[in-house]
Amino acid sequence: MLTKHFVRVKKPCTDGFRWFVRHFDEGGDYQTLLDTMVAAGRVGDACWLLEQFGPTGEVRIVNSIDAEAIVFAGTLQVRGNVEVDDRLYVGGSLHAGGGVRVGGDVLLRGDLRIEGRLRAAGRIQVDGDLRAGWGVEALSELRCSGELRTDWDVVCAGRLRLDGSAFVGLDLSAGGELRCGKGLQVGGDIVAGANLRATQGIAAGGDVRSAMHLEAGWGIRAGGSIEAEGAIRAGESLQAGVRIRAGHGYGVFAGLDVQVEDWQSSAWVSAPQRPDALMSGWWSGPSVEQGGQT
């Protein structure tokens, strides 16, 4: 039960508090209040209320969702598809047996697990794990605080921030900076419109490309090319099936976290052609097994 006193201490806006008093002068059930706000077109106020009072343990199970907006404090389990024209804000987790399409922002304080594709016209923020049976598309920014795992592609028009590891079946692309707190493992290409940084390693079946600097705390391995318009920096080894190329005036650095005497075993650089401006690392030639030279 939310009372006037509980709401007042959170310092709501004057208009929003007046609306609350008019409709819930004696207080009301938390989720009922959220549903009433959304039905009245006060989606922003409902989101603010959920931010202030947090999630609940309520679990709601439905066959499908087709709504103007959803603000739910608990966990939603949907057997089919989710279609939302405005914002989707869930205090717990969302599990869907189909796809999820949202015309605005997607905010999840728990996990997001869906069998189909996730598409949002706004930003996507998931505080838990994000797992999609198909792919993920965000027309703004995307942030996942847990693990990201998809069978298909991940497309983000803005900045992409991953605090955990990422496992993507096809391509991974970001229109802005791409930052990963652990490792990136992608079946196709990895493309970043600004800096690309991973705290651990980067592995791609295709190309790894960055419009600015490219950096990995461990190694970088690509079935295609490793390319950046800025510098390429790896804590350990670099391996590319096609070529390794840094931007004009920038260098290629391998073994930044490895002692020089261990470069041959832990900081080798492998590609069909020796990269220009190779500043550090053990050049091994086209394949590590063939040996190399300094």
Side-chain angles (χ1 to χ4, degrees), residues 41-64:
R42 306 187 72 92
V43 179
D45 288 345
C47 292
W48 177 87
L49 201 70
L50 182 50
E51 286 283 348
Q52 301 305 309
F53 292 97
T56 67
E58 181 181 353
V59 178
R60 182 177 292 178
I61 302 174
V62 297
N63 289 325
S64 63

Side-chain angles (χ1 to χ4, degrees), residues 112-119 124 126 129-138 142 144 147-155 160 162 165-173 184-189:
L112 175 57
R113 303 188 180 194
I114 62 175
E115 297 300 320
R117 184 174 186 83
L118 168 63
R119 186 182 190 276
I124 298 174
V126 179
D129 295 336
L130 196 170
R131 299 187 179 183
W134 293 5
V136 175
E137 181 181 5
L142 189 157
C144 177
E147 179 184 273
L148 172 68
R149 186 180 292 269
T150 69
D151 289 345
W152 291 10
D153 57 331
V154 174
V155 180
L160 175 56
L162 308 170
S165 299
F167 302 89
V168 178
L170 299 178
D171 297 334
L172 171 64
S173 66
L184 288 174
Q185 185 173 324
V186 177
D189 297 337

Side-chain angles (χ1 to χ4, degrees), residues 196 208-210 212-216 220 225-235 237-238 243-247 250-256 275-280:
L196 196 169
V208 178
R209 302 195 303 272
S210 170
M212 293 181 69
H213 302 304
L214 171 57
E215 180 177 352
I220 303 174
S225 297
I226 299 174
E227 301 186 31
E229 296 305 315
I232 297 174
R233 307 184 186 95
S237 299
L238 290 168
R243 68 173 180 174
I244 300 172
R245 182 189 66 80
Y250 292 97
V252 176
F253 303 85
L256 293 177
D276 295 335
L278 179 60
M279 301 299 182
S280 64

